[in-house]
Amino acid sequence: MANLNLQCNCGNVQGFVKNVTPKSGNRCICFCKDCQAFPNELGQADSVLDEHGGTELFQAALSHVNITQGSDNLRCLRLTKKGLYRWYTDCCNTAVGNTVSAKIPFFGIVHSFIKDEMDRTELLGPIRGAVFIKHAKDGYEKPDTYASELVVNLRVIAKLLVWKMKGFSKPSVFFDENGRAIVKPNIIEK
Ligand SMILES: [Zn+2]
Ligand SMILES: [Zn+2]
């Protein structure tokens, strides 16, 4: 099993996800409104969103994500008070990924934080499907190779249950011992 290398656009923040395979996580596209708003907040919509407003994510176990360099450049925002913790870098505004809380062993890595584009196909396998398709823009049609939205969601839930059982929420580079985010999230309520 290989590690998936992570890096922000300028190279200050680096890390990896250990032991990835196409089965170790979930490679998918999210069209939800918040995933569309997040790169817009960062001024990164052009590099993050596809032509239909989708964000490619690899959903991995939280404790498998390691930051080896530049973690002091990590920043966090929440689009609402209870929204996901959305991580980015303040060196170059790279969208990093999303977490739910310290207790949920889940990290949705935004493709912009994956160092090598080739790794996405070679290590993570094909995209399994898309979620929140109702928010996709401009005549989106789900490719035939994608599983249904329900199957993708069930797969995420199944993964979460296993990760929870295995205690994969800790250690986490994003939350401290008390479950607090390592940096105070900036809450952007519109
Ligand atoms: Zn950077
Ligand atoms: Zn989303």
Side-chain angles (χ1 to χ4, degrees):
M1 283 189 280
N3 290 340
L4 177 70
N5 290 317
L6 306 173
Q7 186 178 297
C8 66
N9 290 330
C10 78
N12 264 345
V13 184
Q14 295 185 18
F16 65 93
V17 188
K18 73 173 183 185
N19 298 344
V20 296
T21 69
K23 287 185 174 168
S24 73
N26 195 35
R27 187 179 177 211
C28 65
I29 309 283
C30 186
F31 289 104
C32 83
K33 287 188 170 168
D34 284 358
C35 280
Q36 296 192 44
F38 176 44
N40 271 306
E41 278 300 326
L42 302 178
Q44 299 288 340
D46 288 348
S47 60
V48 171
L49 300 178
D50 67 23
E51 60 196 303
H52 301 289
T55 301
E56 187 189 317
L57 300 168
F58 184 67
Q59 299 164 325
L62 185 56
S63 67
H64 289 181
V65 181
N66 297 279
I67 300 294
T68 51
Q69 182 187 312
S71 61
D72 52 335
N73 288 114
L74 287 173
R75 295 292 177 273
C76 183
L77 67 81
R78 306 179 84 174
L79 292 162
T80 58
K81 249 184 209 159
K82 301 216 162 153
L84 295 184
Y85 293 80
R86 292 178 180 271
W87 300 88
Y88 64 98
T89 66
D90 75 344
C91 42
C92 56
N93 272 8
T94 298
V96 167
N98 316 308
T99 55
V100 184
S101 77
K103 287 186 181 157
I104 311 286
F106 173 93
F107 190 80
I109 305 159
V110 178
H111 68 86
S112 50
F113 193 50
I114 295 174
K115 187 177 176 189
D116 298 311
E117 204 167 330
M118 280 302 287
D119 279 356
R120 281 153 60 190
T121 39
E122 287 184 2
L123 299 181
L124 308 180
I127 293 168
R128 289 175 184 275
V131 291
F132 293 98
I133 289 173
K134 66 177 180 195
H135 297 303
K137 293 182 197 163
D138 299 335
Y140 175 77
E141 280 187 46
K142 182 170 81 69
D144 291 340
T145 53
Y146 284 15
S148 73
E149 200 163 341
L150 177 66
V151 166
V152 176
N153 281 325
L154 289 175
R155 191 184 146 78
V156 176
I157 293 167
K159 281 272 167 213
L160 267 175
L161 290 174
V162 172
W163 292 340
K164 187 93 188 157
M165 250 164 31
K166 292 185 171 174
F168 284 171
S169 50
K170 280 185 183 176
S172 162
V173 291
F174 301 98
F175 297 96
D176 68 17
E177 285 286 287
N178 303 312
R180 270 191 296 261
I182 53 157
V183 288
K184 193 167 187 271
N186 182 17
I187 295 167
I188 300 169
E189 204 128 22
K190 293 266 161 75

